[in-house]
Amino acid sequence: MRLKVEFTTEPFDLDEAPEHALVAREVIEAADLDTVDVGPFGNTVEGAADAVLAAVDALLRKSLGAGATRISLQVNVLGDADRDADGDVVGEGV
C-alpha cells in the first residue's frame, strides 16, 4: 500500500521559519520516502505505507517537542494505478 500525507505545523511565522517547522522538514527529508514537497503553507509526502507511517510518527513527536501547538494531517491511500511501470506518478490528484 502507498500513502500520501499532507501536513502543516503551527503556529505560523511569516517572518522566520519556527523551530518546529525546521524540525518537521528535517524529519521528512531524512525519511525513506518517494516524494517530498515542502512549502511554507503545506507539505506533501508519498511513499510505502511503512515508511510514511514511521515518518509521521517521528514528525509528530519531534515537531511537538520543538514547540508545535497544532499539527494538521490528511492521509490518502494511493492505488497501484497511480504509478506507471517505471514507478512514476501518473493521473490527476496524485
Side-chain angles (χ1 to χ4, degrees):
M1 176 182 353
R2 294 185 45 76
L3 299 177
K4 176 179 178 179
V5 174
E6 298 174 58
F7 70 92
T8 58
T9 62
E10 296 180 42
F12 294 115
D13 184 341
L14 296 178
D15 295 326
E16 184 176 334
E19 182 66 20
H20 61 80
L22 297 175
V23 167
R25 182 179 194 154
E26 289 173 8
V27 167
I28 292 304
E29 289 180 342
D32 185 22
L33 302 169
D34 298 334
T35 304
V36 175
D37 182 19
V38 177
F41 300 109
N43 310 283
T44 305
V45 301
E46 282 184 32
D50 288 342
V52 171
L53 294 173
V56 167
D57 177 65
L59 166 79
L60 292 172
R61 293 175 188 277
K62 292 182 179 182
S63 295
L64 291 169
T69 57
R70 178 179 175 153
I71 301 172
S72 301
L73 292 169
Q74 179 176 336
V75 181
N76 292 296
V77 175
L78 302 176
D80 291 333
D82 295 332
R83 295 225 168 237
D84 64 16
D86 295 326
D88 296 324
V89 176
V90 297
E92 291 186 39
V94 179

